[in-house]
Amino acid sequence: MTEEAGESQAIELKEKANAKFKEQRYEEAVQLYSEAIEAEPSAILYGNRSFAYLKLECSGYALRDATEAILLDRKYVKGYYRRAQAYMSLGKFKFALRDFEAVTNACPNDQDAKKRYLECKKIVQRIAFENAIRVDDVKKSVADALDLDSMSIDDDYDGPCLDEKGITAEFMEQLIDKLSKCGKLHRKYAYQILLEAKAIFEKCPTLVDIEVPDGQKFTICGDIHGQFYDLLNIFKLNGMPSESNPYLFNGDFVDRGSFSVECILVLFGFKLLYPNHFYMSRGNHESHTMNRMYGFDGEVRSKYTEHMAQLFTEVFCCIPLAHVINKKIFVTHGGLFSEDDVTLEDIRNTDRFREPPENGIMCDLLWSDPMSMRGRSPSKRGVGVQFGPDVTEKFLQKNNLEYVVRSHEVKLQGYEVVHGGKCITVFSAPNYCDQMGNKGAFINITGGDLTPKYTVYEAVPHPNIRPMAYASSLVNI
């Protein structure tokens, strides 16, 4: 192909890719941008593909493409812009600040770029301040400063109340009704739920064993991401949680969706009501870095207090990382490991009472994804690893398991089965962020059978508050 023909083909493919991007069909856009790059690589094409990868939450690939764009054209400002956003998505704020500074230097009159630079600088400074004042005694808890007895209930409060009986089924019915009508639980009771949830999670092992009796239904749900009204729809379709209708929610309860507070209070409430029949796995978004960027931290501060946001961080660090059902089904939010020979005992012995590290067993459990190729490859997210069918098979054989259930990824039909049926993804947030057009799903199994059965559903309406309403503008470029 001549140089002129390659350039012409690249332009045509770019235009098609741009159209797919505008239609929010990001995977198709990535494919077309890739074909255009193969025909005639350019900084613009790499920059555009970087943006599409960001939309697909593939921050690692987005970072790679933005860097390639900059290498091809050091003056390509959007390359720095895209790379800054990729760094922000990964919580690498100092690197993001460097790129935002490059944008402001190149475009000194760009007020939007200046605003983002200053916001990023503020985050870096705040992190430095937090590190400077951090108390050496890591056992000191935010909860220690709480005095629930001193919190009075306003005379005009008409929501559900907690008394000496604690959480009851009646309280949960009243809570769901109040929250579904855009009401708010009094902060005293919200704090009480958090403190009791922290206490119960602290007693849980890192890897929880679940026994489902023969003939009993058990439900596994994937990411909820603050989509409260879709969460209520799950209960409508599948029945309210109870001792005879147990659930496992597999991480990413919060962030992005703007009803994350409502989601987490209801989920924690059911955990307290049915501690041996309602289970929760930690996701990668149950972390301070993610919450700071993707909305939960801002939502809690808006609806309650900064102090409560700090307490949520503590509670999240107590949530178990994985479950095994009937000694045969391994359930975790992200996936498998960057090294062979990891055992269930290794997971049980993993210290989870912390923010997620950037490597190791805990990181992989929260961040990894399956791929079709054998072996392993660097993560498309920039954290964790991508693992092939042989990795899944080795892990299952070594630990005498039948299959893996994980979440963490949007799937068009709400679920996906790969690796010869040995690795299942379930994602329970339909029309993710009000733009992906995907369905949601949950899995039912029955004790004594364990064959997964899938229920797929569409999104339901919600009040007119857009997703990411509380998120940092730095991830909304």
Side-chain angles (χ1 to χ4, degrees), residues 432-453:
Y432 182 46
C433 290
D434 285 0
Q435 66 175 335
M436 296 302 289
N438 62 291
K439 295 176 182 178
F442 54 80
I443 297 172
N444 291 133
I445 60 165
T446 303
D449 181 357
L450 303 185
T451 302
K453 299 176 178 63

Side-chain angles (χ1 to χ4, degrees), residues 396-430:
L396 294 175
Q397 287 183 355
K398 186 172 188 65
N399 292 285
N400 195 28
L401 298 163
E402 291 186 4
Y403 61 91
V404 174
V405 176
R406 42 90 61 183
S407 303
H408 197 38
E409 288 184 286
V410 181
K411 297 299 176 184
L412 188 60
Q413 294 301 315
Y415 73 97
E416 183 179 65
V417 183
V418 297
H419 295 182
K422 300 294 187 180
C423 183
I424 300 168
T425 297
V426 59
F427 192 85
S428 300

Side-chain angles (χ1 to χ4, degrees), residues 446-474:
T446 303
D449 181 357
L450 303 185
T451 302
K453 299 176 178 63
Y454 307 96
T455 298
V456 176
Y457 51 91
E458 302 280 357
V460 297
H462 62 75
N464 189 26
I465 302 175
R466 63 178 177 81
M468 302 284 283
Y470 301 94
S472 168
S473 64
L474 295 174

Side-chain angles (χ1 to χ4, degrees), residues 44 69 86 107 195 208 257 327 337 376 396 426:
I44 292 175
C107 307
L195 292 176
V208 177
K327 299 182 173 60
F337 309 98
R376 297 177 174 87
L396 294 175
V426 59

Side-chain angles (χ1 to χ4, degrees), residues 199-263:
I200 201 168
F201 283 129
E202 282 177 332
K203 296 175 183 177
C204 293
T206 296
L207 174 64
V208 177
D209 290 292
I210 301 172
E211 289 297 325
V212 182
D214 287 358
Q216 184 180 63
K217 182 181 79 172
F218 188 90
T219 303
I220 305 170
C221 297
D223 301 38
I224 298 298
H225 272 302
Q227 297 185 196
F228 180 60
Y229 297 87
D230 294 307
L231 171 63
L232 298 188
N233 189 44
I234 293 173
F235 296 149
K236 180 180 179 181
L237 295 170
N238 194 60
M240 296 296 288
S242 68
E243 292 183 355
S244 61
N245 192 27
Y247 279 83
L248 165 57
F249 280 84
N250 196 29
D252 280 12
F253 324 114
V254 301
D255 276 342
R256 296 192 180 275
S258 296
F259 304 94
S260 293
V261 166
E262 290 80 1
C263 286

